[in-house]
Amino acid sequence: MNLKITDSWKQILQTEFEKPYFEQLISYVKEEYAINKCYPALDQIFEAFNLCSFEDLKVVIIGQDPYHGEGQAHGLCFSVNERITHPPSLKNIFKEIESDLSIPYPESGNLARLSKQGVLLLNATLTVKSKNAGSHQNKGWEQLTDAVISTISEKSNEP
C-alpha cells in the first residue's frame, strides 16, 4: 500500500509511519481492503491531509470514522461525495449553520472546499468496513490521529 500523503504532512509524521503500530495498522488495512468492501477508496485514506497542507492549517474538525455507506466516504470527516444523500450528522451540521448563521442549506455535502481553506477534516479512524460503523476502531488509527493532534498543538505553539 502506497502512502499517498502530501509532503508537508509526510515529513511531520514520518516518525509515526516508522513505528511498529503503524506497520501493523497498514497490514490490517491491506488485509481488510483485500477481503472486504471498505471506505474510503485506498487512494483517499489520507485525503484530509492532501487537501489541507500543514502550512495552511487554521482549524481542525474531528469526526469518529468514515461514513460506511456506498459512495459516501472520500477521506474527509462529515463530508460526502457529490450527489450523495446527506447522512443525518451532516444534515444536522448544515441545519445548525443555517439556523445560527443564516447560510442556506447547501445542495452538495462535499466539504473539500473547506479543506482547501485550511480546515483539516480528520476522522479518528481513517477507514471503515462497508455497513459496519466503528469496524476499524482500536486498530491503530487513533494512535496516529492522536499524534497528529499533538503535533499540531506543539508546532502551533512554536515561535
Side-chain angles (χ1 to χ4, degrees), residues 49-92:
F49 301 101
N50 294 330
L51 294 181
C52 179
S53 71
F54 185 80
E55 295 80 17
D56 295 333
L57 179 65
K58 297 175 187 151
V59 175
V60 179
I61 297 176
I62 302 171
Q64 188 172 344
D65 59 355
Y67 292 125
H68 53 87
E70 181 72 34
Q72 292 177 318
H74 64 110
L76 306 174
C77 74
F78 301 109
S79 184
V80 293
N81 284 299
E82 298 293 334
R83 295 177 288 286
I84 296 293
T85 302
H86 301 171
S89 57
L90 186 58
K91 285 181 185 178
N92 290 337

Side-chain angles (χ1 to χ4, degrees), residues 93-103:
I93 291 168
F94 285 154
K95 286 177 184 176
E96 286 299 320
I97 290 171
E98 186 176 43
S99 172
D100 289 352
L101 304 173
S102 299
I103 296 173

Side-chain angles (χ1 to χ4, degrees), residues 108-126:
S108 173
N110 187 325
L111 303 179
R113 65 192 179 280
L114 295 177
S115 291
K116 294 173 184 173
Q117 294 176 40
V119 180
L120 181 64
L121 297 169
L122 182 65
N123 278 309
T125 61
L126 302 187

Side-chain angles (χ1 to χ4, degrees), residues 9 13 49 54 57 60-62 120 122-124 142-156:
W9 286 104
L13 298 174
F49 301 101
F54 185 80
L57 179 65
V60 179
I61 297 176
I62 302 171
L120 181 64
L122 182 65
N123 278 309
E142 295 91 344
Q143 191 170 342
L144 176 67
T145 54
D146 285 351
V148 168
I149 294 162
S150 293
T151 300
I152 291 168
S153 180
E154 289 167 14
K155 297 231 181 250
S156 66

